[in-house]
Amino acid sequence: MKKRLGRRKFLVYGSAAFGSAFFLKGCANSAVNTTSPTTANSPNPTATTASTSTGSGDTIKVGILHSLSGTMAISETTVVEAEKLAIKEINANGGVLGKQIEAVVEDGASDWPTFAEKAQKLIDQDKVVTVFGCWTSASRKAVKDVFESKNHMLWYPVQYEGQECSKNIFYTGAAPNQQIEPAVQWLFDNKGQEFFLVGSDYVFPRTANTIIKEQLAAIGGTTVGEDYLPLGNTEVTPIITKIKQALPNGGVIFNSLNGDSNVAFFKQLQGAGMTPDKYPVMSVSIAEEEVRQIGKEFLLGHYAAWNYFQTVDTPANKKWVEAFKAEYGQDRVTNDPMEAAYIMVYLWKQAVEKAGTADDLEKVRLAAIGQSMDAPEGQVTMFPNHHISKTVRIGQVRDDGLFNIVWSTEGPVDPVPWNQFVPATKGYACDWTDPNKGEKFQMQGT
């Protein structure tokens, strides 16, 4: 049976955030456009030719920047497909401000300097008005300086470690309080109080595990071990040995491995006889597509924490799943990063339409705040901290490779980018509607 918990349990300093919530409610009741995407069968409008103007002729040029090769292609290729589908639908329904969207697609190749190089190309050479891109925090960090130095705009679709709030980035994936923290609490309450942390060796897993260790210390749990693999590394035997030594009688494994390292990890975990009834794994980067590619037989019974699963029972989700399968094949699956990528194109569209321009990025940035839509995951709204509200869900892999949703919050959880368990950021928030607050300010009473 699916268990629910009130959204406010995972909102730290809820009273301090009241002003922002009040502001957004006002927006939602007045100037916010709410769009339900529709499906069309027009040709896919992506292109790779460049023009000299961001809005020349009948097109508005945007960039798509993800890894189409390398270790992260297992995850990022499908995100590109979701973004292309959104663009196709929008174009079939009249485009944006009467213009068609033209997408320039670049391959970050799972290489962070390449991401920065391609971001600069999209801005300087291709003259795009915005970029939809990145997966890993390493790739986002690599392009962040580019977008900030050029005062440009990136839409980023993947859950991440927080501890960031950029004027030039809109984040449609989960902040830690919308994924990691609820997952830790659920595991603590239901699966065990001893945790082994395993992740890829870059900024997201290391920062996420810092948060997890602080949270476990606060709630009475124990971190019995922590280990990392370089991205793309498949030498997982030493980690599995360490887990068995630290948890000889079983315990919780919190997994933030990314890319194809997960293939080796879950296969060898099963080969070592470490089954989910004794060693439940909670993943935060394993979704339906990864289950399909790794093999459901290796993941059956394990868990993942996301805001969206293909099995979410909403009319908007059923419509989107049907549209995606119609476009890419009935055997295909949808997942959380794909959904976040899909809806961010629509949220950008709404912001452009409210601003009345795609070229004036300052107007678009301001117009994006307060934008809301009935997304496949449920209602989402863009907050002044450039993150969106999201429902939190925990799913268990079932025998068809999809997820049985075993727990969810009652509704959307407000985003908290500056973590409230980590001492260095406790009491801080972000608000781009107030020039006296901006990227980071200390909340009153903290």
Side-chain angles (χ1 to χ4, degrees):
M1 180 180 293
K2 180 168 64 178
K3 298 180 181 178
R4 294 182 176 269
L5 192 66
R7 64 191 291 269
R8 291 292 172 183
K9 181 167 183 178
F10 297 106
L11 288 179
V12 186
Y13 293 93
S15 60
F18 175 77
S20 294
F22 180 81
F23 166 82
L24 285 165
K25 288 179 181 177
C27 289
N29 291 331
S30 55
V32 173
N33 301 313
T34 302
T35 301
S36 295
T38 56
T39 305
N41 296 315
S42 62
N44 198 313
T46 58
T48 56
T49 57
S51 67
T52 58
S53 171
T54 56
S56 62
D58 297 323
T59 65
I60 295 174
K61 189 171 290 188
V62 303
I64 291 178
L65 177 57
H66 292 286
S67 295
L68 301 177
S69 59
T71 188
M72 289 307 302
I74 186 176
S75 297
E76 293 190 65
T77 301
T78 57
V79 173
V80 174
E81 292 173 333
E83 290 161 2
K84 287 182 176 180
L85 178 60
I87 291 170
K88 176 176 178 177
E89 292 175 352
I90 291 168
N91 282 344
N93 285 279
V96 182
L97 300 178
K99 295 185 178 184
Q100 294 286 286
I101 304 171
E102 178 186 350
V104 182
V105 181
E106 291 288 352
D107 180 10
S110 305
D111 177 71
W112 322 142
T114 299
F115 266 91
E117 175 187 326
K118 297 293 188 179
Q120 188 157 328
K121 172 191 175 290
L122 286 167
I123 296 169
D124 292 341
Q125 180 178 322
D126 299 310
K127 307 295 184 183
V128 300
V129 298
T130 194
V131 175
F132 305 108
C134 301
W135 177 295
T136 67
S137 288
S139 64
R140 190 194 69 257
K141 293 287 189 183
V143 305
K144 180 173 177 281
D145 287 345
V146 176
F147 285 94
E148 291 181 341
S149 66
K150 296 180 178 295
N151 198 24
H152 214 272
M153 183 184 297
L154 170 70
W155 290 74
Y156 175 65
V158 184
Q159 43 70 255
Y160 82 121
E161 73 282 356
Q163 308 300 65
E164 180 178 297
C165 187
S166 174
K167 176 184 177 182
N168 300 90
I169 302 175
F170 287 93
Y171 310 77
T172 59
N177 76 302
Q178 297 169 314
Q179 185 199 33
I180 294 169
E181 293 171 28
V184 169
Q185 186 67 57
W186 184 85
L187 288 166
F188 181 86
D189 292 339
N190 295 278
K191 295 297 174 181
Q193 299 179 3
E194 293 184 322
F195 284 57
F196 193 102
L197 313 180
V198 57
S200 297
D201 193 5
Y202 72 101
V203 61
F204 164 61
R206 285 193 174 275
T207 307
N209 287 342
T210 296
I211 293 168
I212 291 169
K213 287 183 287 186
E214 294 287 352
Q215 183 179 357
L216 286 173
I219 64 178
T222 304
T223 304
V224 299
E226 178 180 5
D227 210 348
Y228 299 89
L229 277 178
L231 270 170
N233 190 305
T234 58
E235 296 297 324
V236 300
T237 301
I239 288 181
I240 290 176
T241 300
K242 290 178 183 178
I243 294 172
K244 291 187 78 170
Q245 290 173 345
L247 295 169
N249 300 313
V252 173
I253 302 170
F254 202 101
N255 171 37
S256 54
L257 289 170
N258 265 271
D260 48 16
S261 297
N262 277 300
V263 179
F265 179 71
F266 279 97
K267 286 183 177 180
Q268 291 195 36
L269 199 69
Q270 186 181 90
M274 300 170 71
T275 54
D277 58 326
K278 191 174 180 181
Y279 291 94
V281 178
M282 177 68 75
S283 298
V284 289
S285 293
I286 293 283
E288 288 87 342
E289 181 63 21
E290 287 77 19
V291 173
R292 187 173 77 95
Q293 295 199 38
I294 294 169
K296 61 189 179 183
E297 65 272 21
F298 300 108
L299 289 143
L300 183 65
H302 290 296
Y303 299 90
W306 293 104
N307 308 109
Y308 168 88
F309 292 104
Q310 184 175 307
T311 48
V312 168
D313 188 13
T314 65
N317 184 44
K318 290 177 181 177
K319 187 175 184 179
W320 181 55
V321 172
E322 289 175 3
F324 186 85
K325 287 177 175 288
E327 183 72 13
Y328 296 111
Q330 293 300 312
D331 62 330
R332 297 295 305 279
V333 293
T334 56
N335 65 32
D336 183 288
M338 292 164 61
E339 191 262 359
Y342 177 79
I343 66 173
M344 74 183 180
V345 180
Y346 275 95
L347 290 169
W348 167 81
K349 168 187 179 287
Q350 292 177 198
V352 168
E353 290 175 339
K354 181 181 178 182
T357 176
D359 300 306
D360 190 331
L361 301 190
E362 193 62 34
K363 287 184 178 179
V364 176
R365 267 192 288 269
L366 291 172
I369 295 171
Q371 289 299 326
S372 180
M373 68 178 288
D374 181 19
E377 68 180 82
Q379 194 71 20
V380 300
T381 303
M382 182 64 69
F383 271 53
N385 57 27
H386 287 190
H387 296 66
I388 64 173
S389 56
K390 300 177 78 71
T391 300
V392 185
R393 298 176 169 95
I394 291 173
Q396 185 176 29
V397 180
R398 62 192 198 189
D399 57 11
D400 63 354
L402 299 180
F403 286 84
N404 179 40
I405 300 172
V406 298
W407 179 91
S408 70
T409 54
E410 292 177 354
V413 173
D414 299 348
V416 180
W418 294 113
N419 193 262
Q420 302 303 301
F421 283 108
V422 176
T425 53
K426 185 175 182 179
Y428 285 92
C430 169
D431 184 348
W432 287 111
T433 65
D434 186 340
N436 296 316
K437 295 179 177 178
E439 179 180 14
K440 190 176 183 183
F441 71 93
Q442 191 161 20
M443 296 181 285
Q444 292 183 354
T446 61

